[in-house]
PDB file of all heavy atoms in Angstrom:
ATOM      1  N   SER Q  12     -11.677  66.645-120.031  1.00  0.00           N
ATOM      2  CA  SER Q  12     -10.664  65.691-119.587  1.00  0.00           C
ATOM      3  C   SER Q  12     -11.028  64.258-119.940  1.00  0.00           C
ATOM      4  O   SER Q  12     -10.185  63.376-119.902  1.00  0.00           O
ATOM      5  CB  SER Q  12     -10.468  65.811-118.080  1.00  0.00           C
ATOM      6  OG  SER Q  12     -11.692  65.578-117.403  1.00  0.00           O
ATOM      7  N   VAL Q  13     -12.293  64.037-120.242  1.00  0.00           N
ATOM      8  CA  VAL Q  13     -12.741  62.711-120.657  1.00  0.00           C
ATOM      9  C   VAL Q  13     -13.526  62.850-121.955  1.00  0.00           C
ATOM     10  O   VAL Q  13     -13.985  63.936-122.305  1.00  0.00           O
ATOM     11  CB  VAL Q  13     -13.626  62.040-119.590  1.00  0.00           C
ATOM     12  CG1 VAL Q  13     -12.844  61.817-118.308  1.00  0.00           C
ATOM     13  CG2 VAL Q  13     -14.867  62.876-119.307  1.00  0.00           C
ATOM     14  N   TYR Q  14     -13.671  61.736-122.651  1.00  0.00           N
ATOM     15  CA  TYR Q  14     -14.446  61.717-123.882  1.00  0.00           C
ATOM     16  C   TYR Q  14     -15.825  61.151-123.580  1.00  0.00           C
ATOM     17  O   TYR Q  14     -15.956  60.129-122.914  1.00  0.00           O
ATOM     18  CB  TYR Q  14     -13.758  60.879-124.947  1.00  0.00           C
ATOM     19  CG  TYR Q  14     -12.534  61.530-125.500  1.00  0.00           C
ATOM     20  CD1 TYR Q  14     -11.265  61.097-125.137  1.00  0.00           C
ATOM     21  CD2 TYR Q  14     -12.629  62.603-126.386  1.00  0.00           C
ATOM     22  CE1 TYR Q  14     -10.131  61.708-125.626  1.00  0.00           C
ATOM     23  CE2 TYR Q  14     -11.503  63.219-126.882  1.00  0.00           C
ATOM     24  CZ  TYR Q  14     -10.260  62.768-126.503  1.00  0.00           C
ATOM     25  OH  TYR Q  14      -9.145  63.381-126.998  1.00  0.00           O
ATOM     26  N   TYR Q  15     -16.821  61.826-124.084  1.00  0.00           N
ATOM     27  CA  TYR Q  15     -18.194  61.370-123.932  1.00  0.00           C
ATOM     28  C   TYR Q  15     -18.660  60.765-125.241  1.00  0.00           C
ATOM     29  O   TYR Q  15     -18.322  61.265-126.314  1.00  0.00           O
ATOM     30  CB  TYR Q  15     -19.092  62.527-123.523  1.00  0.00           C
ATOM     31  CG  TYR Q  15     -18.749  63.089-122.175  1.00  0.00           C
ATOM     32  CD1 TYR Q  15     -17.922  64.198-122.046  1.00  0.00           C
ATOM     33  CD2 TYR Q  15     -19.237  62.494-121.014  1.00  0.00           C
ATOM     34  CE1 TYR Q  15     -17.587  64.716-120.809  1.00  0.00           C
ATOM     35  CE2 TYR Q  15     -18.902  63.000-119.764  1.00  0.00           C
ATOM     36  CZ  TYR Q  15     -18.080  64.101-119.673  1.00  0.00           C
ATOM     37  OH  TYR Q  15     -17.752  64.597-118.433  1.00  0.00           O
ATOM     38  N   VAL Q  16     -19.445  59.689-125.130  1.00  0.00           N
ATOM     39  CA  VAL Q  16     -19.952  59.016-126.318  1.00  0.00           C
ATOM     40  C   VAL Q  16     -21.456  58.842-126.209  1.00  0.00           C
ATOM     41  O   VAL Q  16     -22.028  58.887-125.118  1.00  0.00           O
ATOM     42  CB  VAL Q  16     -19.284  57.636-126.524  1.00  0.00           C
ATOM     43  CG1 VAL Q  16     -17.769  57.789-126.719  1.00  0.00           C
ATOM     44  CG2 VAL Q  16     -19.596  56.709-125.355  1.00  0.00           C
ATOM     45  N   ASN Q  17     -22.069  58.660-127.342  1.00  0.00           N
ATOM     46  CA  ASN Q  17     -23.508  58.440-127.392  1.00  0.00           C
ATOM     47  C   ASN Q  17     -23.827  57.581-128.603  1.00  0.00           C
ATOM     48  O   ASN Q  17     -23.144  57.682-129.631  1.00  0.00           O
ATOM     49  CB  ASN Q  17     -24.254  59.767-127.484  1.00  0.00           C
ATOM     50  CG  ASN Q  17     -25.744  59.608-127.295  1.00  0.00           C
ATOM     51  OD1 ASN Q  17     -26.492  59.535-128.254  1.00  0.00           O
ATOM     52  ND2 ASN Q  17     -26.174  59.542-126.047  1.00  0.00           N
ATOM     53  N   TYR Q  18     -24.835  56.737-128.471  1.00  0.00           N
ATOM     54  CA  TYR Q  18     -25.193  55.810-129.538  1.00  0.00           C
ATOM     55  C   TYR Q  18     -26.686  55.854-129.829  1.00  0.00           C
ATOM     56  O   TYR Q  18     -27.505  56.093-128.942  1.00  0.00           O
ATOM     57  CB  TYR Q  18     -24.832  54.372-129.135  1.00  0.00           C
ATOM     58  CG  TYR Q  18     -23.366  54.144-128.881  1.00  0.00           C
ATOM     59  CD1 TYR Q  18     -22.849  54.248-127.593  1.00  0.00           C
ATOM     60  CD2 TYR Q  18     -22.501  53.829-129.923  1.00  0.00           C
ATOM     61  CE1 TYR Q  18     -21.500  54.048-127.349  1.00  0.00           C
ATOM     62  CE2 TYR Q  18     -21.153  53.622-129.693  1.00  0.00           C
ATOM     63  CZ  TYR Q  18     -20.657  53.732-128.405  1.00  0.00           C
ATOM     64  OH  TYR Q  18     -19.327  53.528-128.167  1.00  0.00           O
ATOM     65  N   ALA Q  19     -27.010  55.567-131.064  1.00  0.00           N
ATOM     66  CA  ALA Q  19     -28.403  55.339-131.407  1.00  0.00           C
ATOM     67  C   ALA Q  19     -28.863  54.050-130.734  1.00  0.00           C
ATOM     68  O   ALA Q  19     -28.072  53.116-130.561  1.00  0.00           O
ATOM     69  CB  ALA Q  19     -28.562  55.234-132.922  1.00  0.00           C
ATOM     70  N   ASP Q  20     -30.116  53.989-130.376  1.00  0.00           N
ATOM     71  CA  ASP Q  20     -30.640  52.796-129.702  1.00  0.00           C
ATOM     72  C   ASP Q  20     -30.446  51.543-130.552  1.00  0.00           C
ATOM     73  O   ASP Q  20     -30.222  50.451-130.023  1.00  0.00           O
ATOM     74  CB  ASP Q  20     -32.120  52.971-129.388  1.00  0.00           C
ATOM     75  CG  ASP Q  20     -32.351  53.972-128.266  1.00  0.00           C
ATOM     76  OD1 ASP Q  20     -31.395  54.266-127.511  1.00  0.00           O
ATOM     77  OD2 ASP Q  20     -33.489  54.456-128.142  1.00  0.00           O
ATOM     78  N   SER Q  21     -30.522  51.702-131.857  1.00  0.00           N
ATOM     79  CA  SER Q  21     -30.448  50.548-132.750  1.00  0.00           C
ATOM     80  C   SER Q  21     -29.070  49.893-132.778  1.00  0.00           C
ATOM     81  O   SER Q  21     -28.937  48.742-133.206  1.00  0.00           O
ATOM     82  CB  SER Q  21     -30.842  50.961-134.167  1.00  0.00           C
ATOM     83  OG  SER Q  21     -29.982  51.977-134.642  1.00  0.00           O
ATOM     84  N   VAL Q  22     -28.045  50.602-132.321  1.00  0.00           N
ATOM     85  CA  VAL Q  22     -26.685  50.040-132.361  1.00  0.00           C
ATOM     86  C   VAL Q  22     -26.071  49.897-130.976  1.00  0.00           C
ATOM     87  O   VAL Q  22     -24.977  49.344-130.846  1.00  0.00           O
ATOM     88  CB  VAL Q  22     -25.751  50.890-133.247  1.00  0.00           C
ATOM     89  CG1 VAL Q  22     -26.353  51.087-134.637  1.00  0.00           C
ATOM     90  CG2 VAL Q  22     -25.444  52.234-132.600  1.00  0.00           C
ATOM     91  N   LYS Q  23     -26.769  50.381-129.978  1.00  0.00           N
ATOM     92  CA  LYS Q  23     -26.238  50.336-128.614  1.00  0.00           C
ATOM     93  C   LYS Q  23     -25.950  48.899-128.204  1.00  0.00           C
ATOM     94  O   LYS Q  23     -26.771  48.009-128.384  1.00  0.00           O
ATOM     95  CB  LYS Q  23     -27.243  50.980-127.659  1.00  0.00           C
ATOM     96  CG  LYS Q  23     -26.656  51.468-126.368  1.00  0.00           C
ATOM     97  CD  LYS Q  23     -27.695  52.293-125.603  1.00  0.00           C
ATOM     98  CE  LYS Q  23     -28.015  53.573-126.315  1.00  0.00           C
ATOM     99  NZ  LYS Q  23     -28.968  54.423-125.556  1.00  0.00           N
ATOM    100  N   GLY Q  24     -24.756  48.687-127.664  1.00  0.00           N
ATOM    101  CA  GLY Q  24     -24.360  47.347-127.260  1.00  0.00           C
ATOM    102  C   GLY Q  24     -23.689  46.546-128.357  1.00  0.00           C
ATOM    103  O   GLY Q  24     -23.085  45.502-128.091  1.00  0.00           O
ATOM    104  N   ARG Q  25     -23.788  47.017-129.595  1.00  0.00           N
ATOM    105  CA  ARG Q  25     -23.156  46.306-130.724  1.00  0.00           C
ATOM    106  C   ARG Q  25     -22.023  47.123-131.360  1.00  0.00           C
ATOM    107  O   ARG Q  25     -21.062  46.548-131.856  1.00  0.00           O
ATOM    108  CB  ARG Q  25     -24.200  45.994-131.795  1.00  0.00           C
ATOM    109  CG  ARG Q  25     -25.334  45.107-131.313  1.00  0.00           C
ATOM    110  CD  ARG Q  25     -26.216  44.669-132.485  1.00  0.00           C
ATOM    111  NE  ARG Q  25     -26.858  45.791-133.150  1.00  0.00           N
ATOM    112  CZ  ARG Q  25     -26.705  46.089-134.448  1.00  0.00           C
ATOM    113  NH1 ARG Q  25     -25.934  45.337-135.201  1.00  0.00           N
ATOM    114  NH2 ARG Q  25     -27.341  47.132-134.977  1.00  0.00           N
ATOM    115  N   PHE Q  26     -22.155  48.424-131.345  1.00  0.00           N
ATOM    116  CA  PHE Q  26     -21.159  49.297-131.965  1.00  0.00           C
ATOM    117  C   PHE Q  26     -20.393  50.057-130.877  1.00  0.00           C
ATOM    118  O   PHE Q  26     -20.955  50.393-129.833  1.00  0.00           O
ATOM    119  CB  PHE Q  26     -21.829  50.322-132.877  1.00  0.00           C
ATOM    120  CG  PHE Q  26     -22.435  49.757-134.135  1.00  0.00           C
ATOM    121  CD1 PHE Q  26     -22.571  48.396-134.337  1.00  0.00           C
ATOM    122  CD2 PHE Q  26     -22.869  50.628-135.137  1.00  0.00           C
ATOM    123  CE1 PHE Q  26     -23.133  47.893-135.497  1.00  0.00           C
ATOM    124  CE2 PHE Q  26     -23.430  50.142-136.303  1.00  0.00           C
ATOM    125  CZ  PHE Q  26     -23.570  48.774-136.483  1.00  0.00           C
ATOM    126  N   THR Q  27     -19.124  50.331-131.164  1.00  0.00           N
ATOM    127  CA  THR Q  27     -18.291  51.108-130.253  1.00  0.00           C
ATOM    128  C   THR Q  27     -17.548  52.176-131.025  1.00  0.00           C
ATOM    129  O   THR Q  27     -16.855  51.869-132.001  1.00  0.00           O
ATOM    130  CB  THR Q  27     -17.286  50.213-129.524  1.00  0.00           C
ATOM    131  OG1 THR Q  27     -17.976  49.183-128.801  1.00  0.00           O
ATOM    132  CG2 THR Q  27     -16.457  51.038-128.543  1.00  0.00           C
ATOM    133  N   ILE Q  28     -17.701  53.406-130.599  1.00  0.00           N
ATOM    134  CA  ILE Q  28     -16.995  54.512-131.222  1.00  0.00           C
ATOM    135  C   ILE Q  28     -15.766  54.841-130.376  1.00  0.00           C
ATOM    136  O   ILE Q  28     -15.805  54.774-129.147  1.00  0.00           O
ATOM    137  CB  ILE Q  28     -17.913  55.752-131.369  1.00  0.00           C
ATOM    138  CG1 ILE Q  28     -17.235  56.831-132.205  1.00  0.00           C
ATOM    139  CG2 ILE Q  28     -18.337  56.291-130.002  1.00  0.00           C
ATOM    140  CD1 ILE Q  28     -18.172  57.998-132.558  1.00  0.00           C
ATOM    141  N   SER Q  29     -14.681  55.180-131.054  1.00  0.00           N
ATOM    142  CA  SER Q  29     -13.452  55.538-130.336  1.00  0.00           C
ATOM    143  C   SER Q  29     -12.626  56.454-131.220  1.00  0.00           C
ATOM    144  O   SER Q  29     -12.951  56.655-132.390  1.00  0.00           O
ATOM    145  CB  SER Q  29     -12.653  54.280-129.968  1.00  0.00           C
ATOM    146  OG  SER Q  29     -12.243  53.582-131.133  1.00  0.00           O
ATOM    147  N   ARG Q  30     -11.573  57.008-130.646  1.00  0.00           N
ATOM    148  CA  ARG Q  30     -10.711  57.874-131.433  1.00  0.00           C
ATOM    149  C   ARG Q  30      -9.277  57.722-130.958  1.00  0.00           C
ATOM    150  O   ARG Q  30      -9.023  57.447-129.793  1.00  0.00           O
ATOM    151  CB  ARG Q  30     -11.171  59.329-131.341  1.00  0.00           C
ATOM    152  CG  ARG Q  30     -11.117  59.936-129.961  1.00  0.00           C
ATOM    153  CD  ARG Q  30     -11.834  61.283-129.923  1.00  0.00           C
ATOM    154  NE  ARG Q  30     -11.230  62.238-130.856  1.00  0.00           N
ATOM    155  CZ  ARG Q  30     -11.843  63.334-131.287  1.00  0.00           C
ATOM    156  NH1 ARG Q  30     -13.064  63.628-130.878  1.00  0.00           N
ATOM    157  NH2 ARG Q  30     -11.220  64.171-132.100  1.00  0.00           N
ATOM    158  N   ASP Q  31      -8.369  57.908-131.880  1.00  0.00           N
ATOM    159  CA  ASP Q  31      -6.939  57.895-131.583  1.00  0.00           C
ATOM    160  C   ASP Q  31      -6.400  59.235-132.054  1.00  0.00           C
ATOM    161  O   ASP Q  31      -6.158  59.434-133.247  1.00  0.00           O
ATOM    162  CB  ASP Q  31      -6.260  56.729-132.306  1.00  0.00           C
ATOM    163  CG  ASP Q  31      -4.779  56.611-131.982  1.00  0.00           C
ATOM    164  OD1 ASP Q  31      -4.185  57.604-131.512  1.00  0.00           O
ATOM    165  OD2 ASP Q  31      -4.214  55.544-132.202  1.00  0.00           O
ATOM    166  N   ASN Q  32      -6.242  60.154-131.130  1.00  0.00           N
ATOM    167  CA  ASN Q  32      -5.842  61.512-131.514  1.00  0.00           C
ATOM    168  C   ASN Q  32      -4.432  61.563-132.077  1.00  0.00           C
ATOM    169  O   ASN Q  32      -4.112  62.429-132.886  1.00  0.00           O
ATOM    170  CB  ASN Q  32      -5.966  62.449-130.320  1.00  0.00           C
ATOM    171  CG  ASN Q  32      -7.404  62.757-129.985  1.00  0.00           C
ATOM    172  OD1 ASN Q  32      -8.297  62.630-130.827  1.00  0.00           O
ATOM    173  ND2 ASN Q  32      -7.655  63.136-128.746  1.00  0.00           N
ATOM    174  N   ALA Q  33      -3.589  60.646-131.663  1.00  0.00           N
ATOM    175  CA  ALA Q  33      -2.233  60.617-132.204  1.00  0.00           C
ATOM    176  C   ALA Q  33      -2.249  60.332-133.702  1.00  0.00           C
ATOM    177  O   ALA Q  33      -1.359  60.764-134.436  1.00  0.00           O
ATOM    178  CB  ALA Q  33      -1.398  59.572-131.485  1.00  0.00           C
ATOM    179  N   LYS Q  34      -3.273  59.608-134.130  1.00  0.00           N
ATOM    180  CA  LYS Q  34      -3.408  59.275-135.547  1.00  0.00           C
ATOM    181  C   LYS Q  34      -4.480  60.105-136.233  1.00  0.00           C
ATOM    182  O   LYS Q  34      -4.740  59.906-137.420  1.00  0.00           O
ATOM    183  CB  LYS Q  34      -3.755  57.787-135.695  1.00  0.00           C
ATOM    184  CG  LYS Q  34      -2.681  56.843-135.187  1.00  0.00           C
ATOM    185  CD  LYS Q  34      -3.084  55.397-135.387  1.00  0.00           C
ATOM    186  CE  LYS Q  34      -1.998  54.458-134.909  1.00  0.00           C
ATOM    187  NZ  LYS Q  34      -2.375  53.031-135.089  1.00  0.00           N
ATOM    188  N   ASN Q  35      -5.104  61.018-135.484  1.00  0.00           N
ATOM    189  CA  ASN Q  35      -6.200  61.820-136.049  1.00  0.00           C
ATOM    190  C   ASN Q  35      -7.244  60.928-136.710  1.00  0.00           C
ATOM    191  O   ASN Q  35      -7.725  61.221-137.807  1.00  0.00           O
ATOM    192  CB  ASN Q  35      -5.670  62.835-137.066  1.00  0.00           C
ATOM    193  CG  ASN Q  35      -5.205  64.115-136.408  1.00  0.00           C
ATOM    194  OD1 ASN Q  35      -5.318  64.280-135.197  1.00  0.00           O
ATOM    195  ND2 ASN Q  35      -4.676  65.022-137.191  1.00  0.00           N
ATOM    196  N   THR Q  36      -7.587  59.871-136.041  1.00  0.00           N
ATOM    197  CA  THR Q  36      -8.495  58.890-136.623  1.00  0.00           C
ATOM    198  C   THR Q  36      -9.580  58.502-135.626  1.00  0.00           C
ATOM    199  O   THR Q  36      -9.308  58.319-134.442  1.00  0.00           O
ATOM    200  CB  THR Q  36      -7.734  57.634-137.068  1.00  0.00           C
ATOM    201  OG1 THR Q  36      -6.742  58.005-138.033  1.00  0.00           O
ATOM    202  CG2 THR Q  36      -8.666  56.611-137.698  1.00  0.00           C
ATOM    203  N   MET Q  37     -10.789  58.386-136.138  1.00  0.00           N
ATOM    204  CA  MET Q  37     -11.922  57.904-135.362  1.00  0.00           C
ATOM    205  C   MET Q  37     -12.319  56.542-135.903  1.00  0.00           C
ATOM    206  O   MET Q  37     -12.157  56.270-137.099  1.00  0.00           O
ATOM    207  CB  MET Q  37     -13.094  58.874-135.481  1.00  0.00           C
ATOM    208  CG  MET Q  37     -14.370  58.396-134.816  1.00  0.00           C
ATOM    209  SD  MET Q  37     -15.748  59.548-135.013  1.00  0.00           S
ATOM    210  CE  MET Q  37     -16.028  59.518-136.782  1.00  0.00           C
ATOM    211  N   TYR Q  38     -12.825  55.702-135.030  1.00  0.00           N
ATOM    212  CA  TYR Q  38     -13.191  54.347-135.425  1.00  0.00           C
ATOM    213  C   TYR Q  38     -14.646  54.052-135.046  1.00  0.00           C
ATOM    214  O   TYR Q  38     -15.199  54.641-134.127  1.00  0.00           O
ATOM    215  CB  TYR Q  38     -12.292  53.324-134.741  1.00  0.00           C
ATOM    216  CG  TYR Q  38     -10.832  53.523-135.002  1.00  0.00           C
ATOM    217  CD1 TYR Q  38     -10.023  54.188-134.082  1.00  0.00           C
ATOM    218  CD2 TYR Q  38     -10.245  53.062-136.176  1.00  0.00           C
ATOM    219  CE1 TYR Q  38      -8.672  54.388-134.317  1.00  0.00           C
ATOM    220  CE2 TYR Q  38      -8.898  53.247-136.424  1.00  0.00           C
ATOM    221  CZ  TYR Q  38      -8.120  53.911-135.494  1.00  0.00           C
ATOM    222  OH  TYR Q  38      -6.784  54.102-135.739  1.00  0.00           O
ATOM    223  N   LEU Q  39     -15.215  53.105-135.764  1.00  0.00           N
ATOM    224  CA  LEU Q  39     -16.500  52.557-135.391  1.00  0.00           C
ATOM    225  C   LEU Q  39     -16.368  51.045-135.481  1.00  0.00           C
ATOM    226  O   LEU Q  39     -16.301  50.481-136.581  1.00  0.00           O
ATOM    227  CB  LEU Q  39     -17.626  53.048-136.301  1.00  0.00           C
ATOM    228  CG  LEU Q  39     -19.021  52.597-135.884  1.00  0.00           C
ATOM    229  CD1 LEU Q  39     -19.425  53.260-134.560  1.00  0.00           C
ATOM    230  CD2 LEU Q  39     -20.057  52.910-136.967  1.00  0.00           C
TER     231      LEU Q  39
END
């Protein structure tokens, strides 16, 4: 029911991963 995310330590706090299922697209 929710999306879980995880980041490498080197990018944590600077990068954000997300997805738009309506567009079948993931973003960074």
